């Protein structure tokens, strides 16, 4: 694949996605703001994610996330697109640079892909699309200074697909691990490590994490994620 494609929901998390051709779940970046004080605003951007957080009090924060990607195979036989929006609210408690925070929320999104294939010497087009909704909770434990920040975040997510439309055969769906995906409530645990380096208002962020499905049913999903981007910080109280 040239790129990865994700579909997900309104936040704390992301539920539906696409990668390596026919993946139907891929986790988005986890918004880990590590807010410090009332009035602080943080924004994170990378090629696929746009995430924002704002402290409405000294202990209550809100967040909004967006994710959008497209994908296709190198020979252009399979292509797809997906998008997500997320909203969340949470609590944070800073103590001497160390911060505990936990956010919860939910959302909705859509994923689709199509495939050109040869069947009985004829080119046919197979399609798949689905909507979905997801809810999550994500506690974080971290440290935030002027030059360096780090946090460990285990995200717990539950979601459900709906409005599934496809003309793939039943056997294709079974082989591709997206058969009857609208029946279960899917659950995942997604621990991630986030590190940032820079000075005060701008830092480079890297985040690496894993996604582990808790259901016994088969599902085509991405089991790890890595995102690199920039964090911008406004109105943060810091010692000089």
């Amino acid at each position: 694949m040239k790129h990865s494609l994700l579909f997900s929901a309104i936040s704390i998390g992301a539920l539906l996605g696409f990668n390596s051709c026919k993946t139907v779940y891929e986790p988005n970046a986890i918004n880990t703001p590590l807010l410090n004080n009332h009035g602080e605003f943080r924004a994170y951007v990378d090629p696929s994610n746009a995430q924002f957080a704002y402290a409405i009090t000294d202990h209550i924060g809100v967040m909004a996330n967006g994710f959008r990607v497209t994908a296709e195979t190198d020979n252009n036989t399979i292509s797809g697109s997906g998008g997500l929006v997320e909203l969340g609210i949470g609590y944070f408690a800073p103590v001497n640079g160390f911060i505990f925070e936990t956010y919860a929320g939910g959302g909705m999104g859509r994923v689709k892909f199509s495939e050109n294939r040869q069947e009985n010497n004829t080119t046919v087009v197979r399609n798949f699309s689905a909507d979905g909704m997801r809810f999550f909770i994500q506690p974080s434990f971290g440290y935030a200074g002027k030059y360096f920040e780090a946090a460990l975040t285990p995200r717990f997510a539950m979601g459900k697909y709906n409005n599934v439309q496809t003309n793939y055969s039943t056997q294709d769906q079974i082989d591709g691990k997206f058969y009857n995906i609208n029946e279960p409530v899917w659950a995942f645990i997604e621990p991630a490590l986030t590190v940032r380096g820079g000075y005060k208002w701008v830092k480079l962020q890297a985040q690496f994490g894993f996604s582990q499905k808790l259901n016994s049913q088969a599902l085509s999903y991405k089991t790890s994620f890595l995102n690199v981007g920039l964090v911008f910080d406004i109105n943060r109280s810091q010692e000089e």
Side-chain angles (χ1 to χ4, degrees):
M1 296 297 301
K2 295 179 180 177
H3 306 287
S4 59
L5 173 158
L6 164 63
F7 160 80
S8 171
I10 265 177
S11 178
I12 285 178
L15 174 71
L16 306 177
F18 173 82
N19 180 48
S20 76
C21 300
K22 298 173 188 173
T23 299
V24 292
Y25 175 75
E26 179 181 338
N28 66 334
I30 300 177
N31 192 343
T32 310
L34 298 178
L35 295 172
N36 183 72
N37 53 270
H38 177 216
E40 182 183 2
F41 173 80
R42 282 204 160 190
Y44 167 76
V45 292
D46 68 31
S48 299
N49 293 276
Q51 302 183 332
F52 309 93
Y54 177 74
I56 58 177
T57 74
D58 280 333
H59 295 287
I60 302 298
V62 293
M63 63 169 56
N65 305 326
F67 191 75
R68 174 68 181 176
V69 283
T70 59
E72 61 183 16
T73 55
D74 292 335
N75 58 7
N76 298 321
T77 58
I78 306 177
S79 61
S81 63
L84 87 91
V85 289
E86 300 184 313
L87 298 173
I89 187 169
Y91 172 86
F92 64 93
V95 180
N96 297 324
F98 293 93
I99 298 172
F100 166 78
E101 63 183 22
T102 184
Y103 287 84
M108 59 186 64
R110 180 175 175 80
V111 62
K112 62 181 181 180
F113 56 84
S114 62
E115 177 182 5
N116 297 318
R117 52 196 283 183
Q118 294 293 318
E119 296 181 5
N120 299 320
N121 297 319
T122 302
T123 300
V124 297
V125 179
R126 298 299 181 191
N127 300 289
F128 172 89
S129 65
D131 300 327
M133 60 190 307
R134 191 190 80 154
F135 301 93
F136 74 88
I137 184 168
Q138 58 177 57
S140 292
F141 305 89
Y143 170 81
K146 287 192 295 184
Y147 307 103
F148 175 78
E149 301 180 11
L152 180 63
T153 307
R155 179 170 65 187
F156 303 89
M158 298 183 67
K160 199 168 193 312
Y161 294 88
N162 60 75
N163 193 28
V164 175
Q165 299 183 19
T166 183
N167 63 356
Y168 279 97
S169 69
T170 297
Q171 190 60 52
D172 282 339
Q173 295 176 58
I174 294 172
D175 293 342
K177 299 181 180 179
F178 55 94
Y179 178 65
N180 283 345
I181 64 169
N182 58 315
E183 291 187 356
V185 174
W186 297 97
F188 299 85
I189 180 170
E190 296 170 345
L193 174 65
T194 304
V195 293
R196 302 176 183 134
Y199 182 66
K200 285 190 176 180
W201 305 286
V202 181
K203 292 182 173 69
L204 179 67
Q205 172 177 307
Q207 183 182 90
F208 178 72
F210 297 94
S211 181
Q212 177 60 55
K213 176 175 61 71
L214 302 180
N215 299 66
S216 60
Q217 298 94 331
L219 183 73
S220 177
Y221 75 104
K222 189 175 181 182
T223 59
S224 64
F225 53 99
L226 172 65
N227 301 282
V228 179
L230 291 175
V231 173
F232 302 90
D233 201 341
I234 300 174
N235 292 331
R236 185 180 186 88
S237 296
Q238 295 180 335
E239 295 182 359
E240 298 297 332

